[in-house]
Amino acid sequence: MLEYFLWFKAFHVISMVCWYAGIFYLPRLFVYHAMSDDAPSQQRFGVMERKLYRGIMTPAMLATWGFALCMLIPNWQAYQSQVWLHIKIALVILLTIYHLSCGHFRLKLLQNAQYKSHVFWRWFNEIPVIILIAVVCLVIVKPQFGG
């Protein structure tokens, strides 16, 4: 059983890295999209955003969740009392909401490239960094809460 767990863990980390690559890059494309002022550039960014969101980010997100569940479900009794894991799951839910909001914003940008300013997208791009720092610290340190 341990061998399967380690395989699931490896693929969980690989899919998380792929998901985060897209999570970091898509809002950067939003910056460039918002700064573009000609139709060919806006169309090009729209295609790039769609391919990244649908072809890389969403499958990587689903794989991240899938491999996480493969590790959690068989071992839920052991994890049930681990507060750090509950916080991590809450943060990953927030990241999933961020991911879905990127999909929503992607469609809005197709309708109006200046929907939000490039400055907004630069700040928006910082949200997943904070989540990543918190999740990595929780997973590595596994802090004990409440004694």
Side-chain angles (χ1 to χ4, degrees):
M1 187 63 156
L2 178 62
E3 183 180 338
Y4 289 118
F5 179 86
L6 294 176
W7 281 107
F8 291 143
K9 189 179 208 179
F11 285 108
H12 174 71
V13 171
I14 291 165
S15 57
M16 182 274 305
V17 169
C18 294
W19 185 20
Y20 253 99
I23 286 282
F24 286 149
Y25 189 49
L26 186 62
R28 177 54 51 183
L29 288 176
F30 292 168
V31 169
Y32 301 141
H33 195 151
M35 292 174 66
S36 66
D37 54 4
D38 61 293
S41 294
Q42 291 172 4
Q43 289 172 344
R44 184 177 339 105
F45 287 120
V47 169
M48 292 169 69
E49 292 158 2
R50 179 183 45 101
K51 288 182 177 184
L52 178 61
Y53 186 78
R54 289 186 181 171
I56 297 172
M57 287 173 63
T58 299
M61 177 191 68
L62 294 172
T64 301
W65 273 104
F67 290 119
L69 292 173
C70 288
M71 290 185 295
L72 283 175
I73 291 170
N75 300 303
W76 184 244
Q77 292 289 29
Y79 288 125
Q80 198 168 349
S81 63
Q82 302 296 316
V83 176
W84 69 267
L85 181 65
H86 295 274
I87 296 169
K88 177 196 173 192
I89 292 169
L91 289 168
V92 176
I93 290 169
L94 285 176
L95 187 65
T96 301
I97 292 167
Y98 180 90
H99 173 103
L100 296 172
S101 69
C102 283
H104 170 77
F105 288 142
R106 184 184 71 77
L107 297 175
K108 291 291 230 177
L109 278 165
L110 290 174
Q111 297 168 358
N112 177 8
Q114 282 72 42
Y115 167 67
K116 302 268 187 195
S117 76
H118 67 93
V119 175
F120 171 85
W121 298 119
R122 290 175 198 275
W123 283 104
F124 181 74
N125 199 25
E126 300 305 319
I127 295 169
V129 174
I130 296 164
I131 295 172
L132 178 64
I133 291 167
V135 166
V136 169
C137 288
L138 286 167
V139 169
I140 299 299
V141 177
K142 293 179 178 56
Q144 300 302 310
F145 294 94

